Amino acid sequence: MAKVVLAGKANCPYYAKAELLADYLQANLPDFRVHKITQHPDKWEQWLHDICEMNGWEHRESPIIWRELLDRGGKGLLLGGVNDFLEYAQHYYGITSMMLSEEMLDIAEENLQAHIEIEKEEEEIKSLIKPLQIWITSASASICYQLIPLLASGEVFGMTTEISIHLLDTDQFKDVLCGIVMEAEDMALPLLRSISEHTEIDEAFIQADIIIVLDDVLLNREAQSLENYIREVSEICQVYAPLIEKNANSGVRIISSGKTFVNLKAMMIMTYGQSIKPENVIAVATSWESAAKATLARKLNMNAAGVKDVIVWGNITGCNYIDLSHAKLYGYDCAIWGPASFPRPLLNMIYDSEWIHSEFLSAQSSLSSRVCHCVGMLPAHAVATVLRYWYHGSPPGEIVSVGILTKGQFCIPEGIVFSMPVRFQNGKWEVMTELEINETTREVLGRLAHELIQEKLIALNEIKEMHLYGADKITS
């Protein structure tokens, strides 16, 4: 049995001529088989170089044709180009091709279009098969335990997207990570392709598509100063950022979450990772949004899901401002009724302005307690919600608060990570700069920015000291 391999550029007219002759031979000769390899014109030269180098052939044109001596593997017998194949067919089978040049060009054009469509289909199929690689740092935290089922439920990335989860933590938490892995595997989640634990920092973030940074520092202001805590955060990010640049995919999306220094972690990852795209790093403020909405809903005796567009400004896990000036109520039981999409301004519905300016504002300390002392369900839901919006878009017209690197929006100084209102659309986010804010809010934002600027200055000073005295510190 003759088995001939025919390879060439998709738009090559000579490949088209050889292809039709080979098809004719295969259809009419019981012992003739052809295997065709079509390459995109942009990839042809490299492919031809590699195949010739592997087999020790000399050939520089399209097509290249050889006869396989074995059904599988083994070095083939090079026949040559299109003219060599025509001579081969004439000599062995008494058959040749009389195809005209115009026909060859038309078929070559059809071959190229078909090849492009096939490649596109293959890429789409691969995107469905290839799982998203998700890395979670400090994975022994309780939030991780709650987060895994949400990520693998299909509601975040879609019912056709599989995920692989990588849990990263220090060696002392290896047993905890192993326990999480076993439980996740026992759940037999249909979209969870794999889950693994990692305690070696050098292997962190390999092929990462998403990185969720949960690292926290334990705050005890009596024992340590603010500078020491900021130094600790900087040291964590100084380790992570180069590994992200080295190991992760170029379009990796990074989410900073946790209970402490969420804004600072996001900023320091961008500072130490110069090649990391700033638009791909955000800090999650959704926990504060949710807790504030729940407090307001209890006051109004309604479902918290009907409270929308509460904005969290500033330092998410520090001094922040809960802005109700754009907040709306949906499905609120009042004198005026409308369809489900009919909103009511929240401030018009809370007639007790004293409660807003005293109890609710002072309640932010209790909000802080609720957010910081939650066992993991709320922050896990917050991370999952932001990821869902990032991949599939936020509800039309709805405000979402996230910490992003500022570029002067709302007169906030540039170069700090500041929580502000955004919308997610087409896999990206954009700041809702069209929102109007009053002078009082601008003054509050100025004070909040000052705190973040001070954090940044302390962190940058720590970086400078590490560069200047790093050798002495290491020696000591």
Side-chain angles (χ1 to χ4, degrees), residues 40-57:
H40 192 281
D42 296 340
K43 300 177 181 178
W44 168 253
E45 294 294 339
Q46 185 61 49
W47 184 90
L48 179 62
H49 173 271
D50 293 342
I51 197 72
C52 288
E53 186 176 86
M54 181 177 67
N55 291 284
W57 295 334

Side-chain angles (χ1 to χ4, degrees), residues 9 18 37 47 83 85 92 108 110 115 133 173 212 226 296 329 334-335 343 356 405 423 429 446 471:
K9 288 191 293 186
I37 302 173
W47 184 90
N83 291 331
F85 182 54
Y92 280 92
E110 291 177 6
H115 181 75
Q133 303 294 326
F173 295 107
I212 302 169
L226 176 64
L296 294 164
L329 304 178
C334 62
I356 295 175
L405 189 66
R423 66 170 67 86
W429 54 262

Side-chain angles (χ1 to χ4, degrees), residues 2 13 23 27 62 177 300 313 422 439 443 472:
D23 287 343
S62 171
L177 300 185
L300 294 164
W313 297 95
V422 306
E439 192 60 35
E443 291 177 4
D472 294 337

Side-chain angles (χ1 to χ4, degrees), residues 121-416:
E121 289 176 3
E122 288 177 348
E123 288 298 320
E124 290 177 353
I125 292 171
K126 286 180 181 177
S127 68
L128 296 177
I129 296 174
K130 182 183 177 182
L132 278 175
Q133 303 294 326
I134 303 173
W135 284 78
I136 304 175
T137 71
S138 285
S140 61
S142 57
I143 173 178
C144 182
Y145 196 82
Q146 307 283 344
L147 183 58
I148 290 170
L150 296 177
L151 296 178
S153 67
E155 295 184 7
V156 177
F157 304 109
M159 298 304 297
T160 59
T161 303
E162 293 187 339
I163 64 173
S164 289
I165 297 178
H166 306 267
L167 308 177
L168 178 67
D169 215 318
T170 58
D171 192 59
Q172 71 181 100
F173 295 107
K174 185 175 179 62
D175 290 342
V176 177
L177 300 185
C178 289
I180 296 174
V181 168
M182 284 191 292
E183 283 201 56
E185 290 174 341
D186 290 345
M187 291 175 71
L189 298 163
L191 297 176
L192 183 60
R193 173 76 68 84
S194 64
I195 182 169
S196 56
E197 77 279 354
H198 303 266
T199 56
E200 296 294 332
I201 192 64
D202 291 340
E203 64 186 30
F205 313 129
I206 292 176
Q207 297 296 310
D209 296 303
I210 298 167
I211 298 172
I212 302 169
V213 181
L214 301 180
D215 299 73
D216 277 320
V217 295
L218 299 176
L219 295 180
N220 183 353
R221 292 295 174 86
E222 296 179 359
Q224 293 192 60
S225 65
L226 176 64
E227 289 78 6
N228 287 335
Y229 291 122
I230 291 177
R231 181 184 297 112
E232 190 174 337
V233 173
S234 295
E235 289 173 353
I236 292 169
C237 297
Q238 189 179 22
V239 173
Y240 286 167
L243 288 169
I244 293 171
E245 290 183 300
K246 176 184 175 184
N247 295 337
N249 292 330
S250 59
V252 61
R253 300 181 183 188
I254 303 167
I255 285 186
S256 175
S257 185
K259 299 178 180 179
T260 59
F261 297 103
V262 170
N263 297 54
L264 183 63
K265 285 185 292 187
M267 193 196 72
M268 297 312 295
I269 286 173
M270 288 183 273
T271 301
Y272 285 116
Q274 293 293 317
S275 67
I276 298 172
K277 299 174 183 177
E279 63 271 21
N280 283 0
V281 184
I282 61 176
V284 175
T286 315
S287 296
W288 284 88
E289 280 187 11
S290 299
K293 290 174 182 178
T295 301
L296 294 164
R298 282 191 294 273
K299 174 67 176 177
L300 294 164
N301 193 27
M302 64 175 293
N303 189 334
V307 184
K308 306 289 185 183
D309 299 344
V310 173
I311 303 174
V312 179
W313 297 95
N315 192 351
I316 297 168
T317 49
C319 292
N320 56 48
Y321 171 54
I322 308 297
D323 182 2
L324 305 181
S325 60
H326 299 276
K328 302 178 185 67
L329 304 178
Y330 292 84
Y332 179 57
D333 187 6
C334 62
I336 300 176
W337 275 82
S341 59
F342 178 69
R344 300 290 296 166
L346 182 143
L347 292 178
N348 290 354
M349 298 296 101
I350 299 182
Y351 300 104
D352 188 357
S353 59
E354 181 65 25
W355 180 87
I356 295 175
H357 293 97
S358 59
E359 291 186 38
F360 179 75
L361 292 177
S362 64
Q364 290 188 41
S365 59
S366 64
L367 284 180
S368 176
S369 177
R370 290 172 64 88
V371 173
C372 294
H373 293 89
C374 58
V375 296
M377 192 181 301
L378 177 60
H381 178 265
V383 170
T385 299
V386 169
L387 276 172
R388 183 173 73 252
Y389 290 167
W390 208 346
Y391 275 82
H392 300 291
S394 52
E398 190 168 320
I399 295 173
V400 184
S401 302
V402 297
I404 52 99
L405 189 66
T406 56
K407 295 183 178 179
Q409 305 95 331
F410 303 108
C411 298
I412 300 167
E414 295 186 27
I416 56 175

